[in-house]
Amino acid sequence: MATVSPTPLLKDELDIVIPTIRNLDFLEMWRPFFQPYHLIIVQDGDPTKTIKVPEGFDYELYNRNDINRILGPKASCISFKDSACRCFGYMVSKKKYIYTIDDDCFVAKDPSGKDINALEQHIQNLLSPSTPFFFNTLYDPYRSGADFVRGYPFSLREGVPTAVSHGLWLNIPDYDAPTQLVKPLERNTRYVDAIMTIPKGTLFPMCGMNLAFNRELVGPAMYFGLMGDGQPIGRYDDMWAGWCTKVICDHLGWGVKTGLPYIWHSKASNPFVNLKKEYKGIYWQEELIPFFQSVALPKDCTTVQKCYIEISKQVKAKLGKVDDYFNKLADAMVTWIEAWDELNPSGDISAKIPNGASK
Amino acid sequence: MSLSIKDHEIDIVIGALRSDLTSFMSEWRPIFSRFHLIIVKDPDLKEELKIPEGFNLDVYKKPDIDCVVGTSTSTIFSGYSCRYFGYLVSRKKYIISVDDDCYPAKDNKGILVDAVAQHITNLTTPATPFFFNTLYDPFTEGADFVRGYPFSLRSGVQCALSCGLWLNLAHYDAPTQALKPEERNSRYVDAVLTVPARSLMPISGINIAFNQEVIGPALLPSLRLGGEGKFRWETMEDIWSGMCVKVACDHLGLGVKTGMPYVWRNDRGDAIASLRKEWEGVKLMEEVVPFFQSVRLPREATTTEDCVAEVANVVKEQLGSKDPIFARAAKAMVDWVMLWKSVGSSTSSPGA
């Protein structure tokens, strides 16, 4: 029987991207798990403010002045006064993997009381295959103590590369403003001991609070959109990136996992402030979901960049009439790709469109 | 258990492949004793059934089955398929079925799992197949839809099928269990989730519940392996039936949930001995899965019977020539629909 090998640290292959506007005190709790890694801190808001980084961490920090200097006119695609600015960190990173976490997220405990090393679990998720073509009822078959169930075709048991690992949150759940208003006291206390692949063709709401991805595979798709200052919408940055990324992963034959690890989300943002940011998104998403569900990417879109540009064209064509915001967003998507390619000239990641079971 | 569901709306159907049900029934007594049970004895089982007192039940044996469907048809109910006879004769809205080698499980807190109550909760709360909720079942206590979940999809659809899971002996195939003879499932995952629309999965018959009024005819005995035996490893009938059910549910806009409740599945059988027999099933799945993934039912199929008949047609056309087992399965499906119409519950509601 195979023994479980320890999870590789990947300390030279992974960057941790943290958007912040206040301080990074939360890093103290994460020190045992994060210290080996390089941090990319994206400072939002007032660039004259000094963000204090706890001693002993290896990091680079970018504020708005840095973003403007590095990207020039293309900086217009990076949001201001919104944590969406974090995607600048993905762009400047030189590593294969990214883990991004919010500054109000702390180490959670599992049911046995042990501290959860969220980063280690994300790495395990990213390094083991996904199974998007057929649902395994015992969830992740590559976990120790689990396997594929009876009836699961052997030809699908190798799985596909995992592009995204979406973690969850104990304590303050990621609810939208209306739900927060109706249930201000609800806390997520349920530890669901599972990781699963989200099936091909199924969309989900991707939360950026506790998220890891293979930057070499899907980095260019992780654009967090135009949010915050001067924009009509907020709190849909990660949603937008998630829908684009999922459509592209489905097209290129990569997997998206959700479930463990949990972090402890400590801060409930003000639901009235959230409602103001979200309200357009709440009724726009009724158009966005059918749009993403029906996006068809042509076969010659064999790279993430090509897929993304194609989506931007369809955004302009089909969503431009919903609101002019989407015309600006489509342009920003193109700008993002141009900026990405400038900062990451080593080339596209191509993927052969798999001959896997088709829909 | 939902207060609006009356006990008399529920039948518990047990296929008896072993004659001595004493310990099985005794262990389940705290949970089953409120309900009406239908016990169907495998027609091939020679010994008399031993069933303890104190239950409200009907027992069907070979002569009873022959009487209802005729001696030539009763062969379709041999082995694990005997439970389908129970589904056929039940007149209740909800049916719950567990294998006779399964016992009540305990959750992470050591509390006995009321599998019936959980299945009923699953069936009577909406399913959400059109968009994945990352906090799993949004209708469960302490959970809800997450940010980014479209409001228009939050009322969900009717749940037609609830697929439970198993602690101890998981539902692995023979090759997997043979490779890992000591592996037992000890992970209790505290979740119920809707299987997304157009995603297929291997539905196990070991621990299952369904709304008979909306999906009854789609749970059917049709695919029978040449060497089908009396261990789950030696059958494929539930997997095939499950594919039909999922395709029908997706077409009719009904939901399928998976996850809790867990049952405790006893060790039984020898995976290596079953390897020979299951190999046929393992090979067939390579055809079966791509086939069902490509099935598209016509808009005119508005009832479950229509869906089953259509699937049978397509099976015959596309798979019939690849292996006679499929041609036989297609015929069995057509026969089942006719049998259902004549013997089964007379109401067949169109899908939601």
Side-chain angles (χ1 to χ4, degrees):
Chain A
M1 218 177 324
T3 50
V4 179
S5 34
T7 310
L9 214 48
L10 299 185
K11 70 175 181 64
D12 296 322
E13 295 177 74
L14 184 145
D15 274 339
I16 303 178
V17 172
I18 305 166
T20 189
I21 201 156
R22 280 167 297 267
N23 63 63
L24 294 166
D25 295 346
F26 86 117
L27 281 177
E28 277 308 331
M29 198 188 189
W30 286 103
R31 191 184 284 278
F33 305 128
F34 284 6
Q35 191 145 349
Y37 299 90
H38 180 71
L39 311 182
I40 295 180
I41 297 159
V42 184
Q43 178 185 342
D44 195 17
D46 182 0
T48 63
K49 191 170 165 199
T50 307
I51 300 286
K52 194 171 167 305
V53 184
E55 288 291 321
F57 283 98
D58 168 41
Y59 71 95
E60 49 194 293
L61 186 146
Y62 299 91
N63 61 27
R64 191 72 206 182
N65 295 337
D66 301 313
I67 295 172
N68 290 338
R69 175 178 49 82
I70 293 169
L71 294 184
K74 296 196 177 71
S76 59
C77 75
I78 303 295
S79 302
F80 183 56
K81 293 254 185 83
D82 194 285
S83 64
C85 64
R86 74 177 81 208
C87 62
F88 177 79
Y90 311 157
M91 195 192 274
V92 297
S93 166
K94 299 284 169 267
K95 304 284 174 57
K96 183 169 179 180
Y97 302 99
I98 296 281
Y99 175 47
T100 185
I101 184 171
D102 279 12
D103 63 10
D104 60 353
C105 294
F106 293 81
V107 177
K109 286 193 195 298
D110 71 18
S112 73
K114 186 165 161 259
D115 281 351
I116 298 170
N117 182 346
L119 189 46
E120 183 181 57
Q121 182 65 62
H122 276 299
I123 291 172
Q124 275 178 31
N125 294 350
L126 290 172
L127 293 183
S128 57
S130 294
T131 51
F133 303 123
F134 202 60
F135 188 87
N136 192 46
T137 47
L138 276 188
Y139 314 113
D140 185 347
Y142 305 103
R143 271 185 98 185
S144 77
D147 213 305
F148 290 96
V149 296
R150 183 166 71 83
Y152 205 104
F154 276 77
S155 60
L156 294 181
R157 294 193 188 197
E158 255 183 47
V160 298
T162 302
V164 179
S165 166
H166 177 263
L168 296 174
W169 347 273
L170 290 171
N171 194 43
I172 309 286
D174 188 25
Y175 287 161
D176 53 45
T179 310
Q180 275 182 293
L181 284 164
V182 168
K183 296 178 164 189
L185 301 177
E186 185 149 281
R187 298 290 176 264
N188 185 21
T189 55
R190 181 176 284 115
Y191 184 92
V192 178
D193 189 2
I195 302 144
M196 62 194 80
T197 301
I198 300 180
K200 178 179 170 175
T202 300
L203 293 175
F204 76 115
M206 184 180 85
C207 172
M209 264 198 267
N210 172 23
L211 180 73
F213 58 93
N214 183 325
R215 183 183 163 276
E216 268 182 19
L217 282 185
V218 288
M222 283 285 184
Y223 173 48
F224 273 40
L226 289 174
M227 305 278 147
D229 212 46
Q231 306 299 342
I233 187 175
R235 286 171 54 86
Y236 272 84
D237 50 334
D238 41 6
M239 299 297 136
W240 184 263
W243 296 328
C244 292
T245 300
K246 185 60 164 61
V247 163
I248 292 173
C249 284
D250 285 351
H251 177 74
L252 295 177
W254 298 326
V256 172
K257 290 185 183 175
T258 187
L260 301 183
Y262 283 89
I263 48 88
W264 179 270
H265 183 211
S266 69
K267 211 176 64 75
S269 37
N270 183 306
F272 297 100
V273 171
N274 288 345
L275 190 56
K276 263 185 84 174
K277 292 180 183 176
E278 286 174 13
Y279 89 99
K280 282 206 164 139
I282 285 172
Y283 59 83
W284 281 348
Q285 78 190 0
E286 300 298 334
E287 310 279 346
L288 297 181
I289 299 312
F291 166 77
F292 279 105
Q293 281 172 335
S294 63
V295 165
L297 294 170
K299 264 207 197 101
D300 60 5
C301 286
T302 52
T303 67
V304 174
Q305 286 90 330
K306 284 187 186 148
C307 290
Y308 203 75
I309 297 291
E310 177 60 32
I311 293 176
S312 76
K313 289 188 187 141
Q314 296 191 29
V315 167
K316 200 163 237 190
K318 297 188 183 154
L319 296 176
K321 51 187 187 289
V322 173
D323 193 281
D324 188 50
Y325 167 76
F326 292 103
N327 289 318
K328 283 175 29 188
L329 180 58
D331 290 338
M333 290 168 76
V334 175
T335 306
W336 160 265
I337 294 294
E338 287 169 358
W340 182 283
D341 285 345
E342 250 180 56
L343 261 55
N344 299 282
S346 55
D348 317 314
I349 307 297
S350 248
K352 280 211 296 286
I353 312 278
N355 289 327
S358 56
K359 280 276 159 232
Chain B
M1 179 105 58
S2 162
L3 287 173
S4 61
I5 301 301
K6 304 282 182 291
D7 294 352
H8 67 248
E9 291 182 271
I10 298 167
D11 259 341
I12 299 182
V13 173
I14 307 296
L17 272 73
R18 300 177 307 160
S19 54
D20 190 352
L21 296 178
T22 315
S23 68
F24 171 82
M25 301 287 290
S26 306
E27 294 281 334
W28 281 104
R29 189 186 292 274
I31 295 165
F32 281 1
S33 58
R34 294 159 57 179
F35 304 102
H36 177 248
L37 281 80
I38 293 178
I39 299 184
V40 185
K41 184 182 169 198
D42 175 7
D44 302 331
L45 188 61
K46 298 286 175 270
E47 296 85 1
E48 281 302 309
L49 285 183
K50 275 205 211 107
I51 300 171
E53 296 284 322
F55 290 92
N56 169 17
L57 48 74
D58 285 303
V59 182
Y60 295 90
K61 303 172 202 170
K62 188 171 186 314
D64 307 305
I65 300 174
D66 288 343
C67 190
V68 174
V69 303
T71 40
S72 52
T73 307
S74 67
T75 52
I76 67 173
F77 297 115
S78 112
Y80 278 101
S81 295
C82 61
R83 63 170 56 189
Y84 293 108
F85 182 80
Y87 303 167
L88 190 65
V89 298
S90 166
R91 293 290 176 266
K92 303 292 171 63
K93 183 170 180 181
Y94 301 103
I95 291 181
I96 294 165
S97 195
V98 297
D99 278 5
D100 65 1
D101 56 1
C102 293
Y103 291 76
K106 291 205 170 104
D107 67 14
N108 282 332
K109 298 192 180 85
I111 298 173
L112 205 69
V113 171
D114 185 341
V116 173
Q118 183 65 58
H119 272 307
I120 294 300
T121 301
N122 293 351
L123 290 172
T124 53
T125 50
T128 51
F130 303 121
F131 203 72
F132 191 91
N133 192 46
T134 48
L135 279 188
Y136 313 110
D137 183 358
F139 298 100
T140 201
E141 183 89 31
D144 211 307
F145 291 97
V146 295
R147 176 174 59 95
Y149 203 104
F151 276 78
S152 62
L153 295 180
R154 294 192 188 198
S155 35
V157 298
Q158 189 170 21
C159 180
L161 185 72
S162 166
C163 306
L165 293 172
W166 344 270
L167 289 173
N168 193 47
L169 197 70
H171 200 184
Y172 291 153
D173 51 46
T176 306
Q177 194 75 71
L179 269 176
K180 299 177 165 187
E182 305 304 319
E183 181 152 296
R184 297 293 178 270
N185 185 25
S186 55
R187 185 175 287 125
Y188 185 96
V189 178
D190 184 6
V192 175
L193 55 134
T194 300
V195 183
R198 293 185 322 277
S199 295
L200 293 178
M201 66 206 254
I203 292 179
S204 159
I206 293 175
N207 170 17
I208 202 167
F210 57 100
N211 182 327
Q212 213 214 154
E213 277 177 14
V214 298
I215 206 71
L219 281 101
L220 41 67
S222 63
L223 190 87
R224 189 174 282 276
L225 295 182
E228 185 175 282
K230 306 297 184 188
F231 295 101
R232 277 287 182 196
W233 289 315
E234 299 165 352
T235 71
M236 215 78 234
E237 54 85 11
D238 52 348
I239 308 290
W240 177 269
S241 170
M243 296 279 180
C244 298
V245 176
K246 185 62 164 61
V247 164
C249 284
D250 286 349
H251 178 76
L252 297 171
L254 300 167
V256 173
K257 290 185 185 175
T258 186
M260 301 192 294
Y262 281 85
V263 296
W264 179 272
R265 190 167 176 240
N266 266 353
D267 289 324
R268 197 162 91 85
D270 177 351
I272 294 175
S274 292
L275 260 178
R276 266 185 310 123
K277 289 189 182 175
E278 194 175 29
W279 188 237
E280 188 191 357
V282 163
K283 273 196 307 176
L284 288 177
M285 286 310 292
E286 299 298 332
E287 298 281 357
V288 168
V289 169
F291 166 75
F292 276 102
Q293 282 174 330
S294 68
V295 166
R296 295 288 178 268
L297 296 175
R299 219 174 294 175
E300 297 77 40
T302 53
T303 66
T304 309
E305 288 92 328
D306 289 346
C307 293
V308 174
E310 275 302 319
V311 172
N313 256 352
V314 188
V315 167
K316 187 170 161 205
E317 277 167 27
Q318 294 184 14
L319 291 180
S321 49
K322 294 193 180 182
D323 193 312
I325 197 177
F326 294 124
R328 285 194 293 272
K331 179 164 188 315
M333 290 170 77
V334 171
D335 292 346
W336 177 258
V337 173
M338 290 195 315
L339 190 60
W340 185 271
K341 283 180 176 159
S342 68
V343 178
S345 283
S346 50
T347 48
S348 82
S349 13

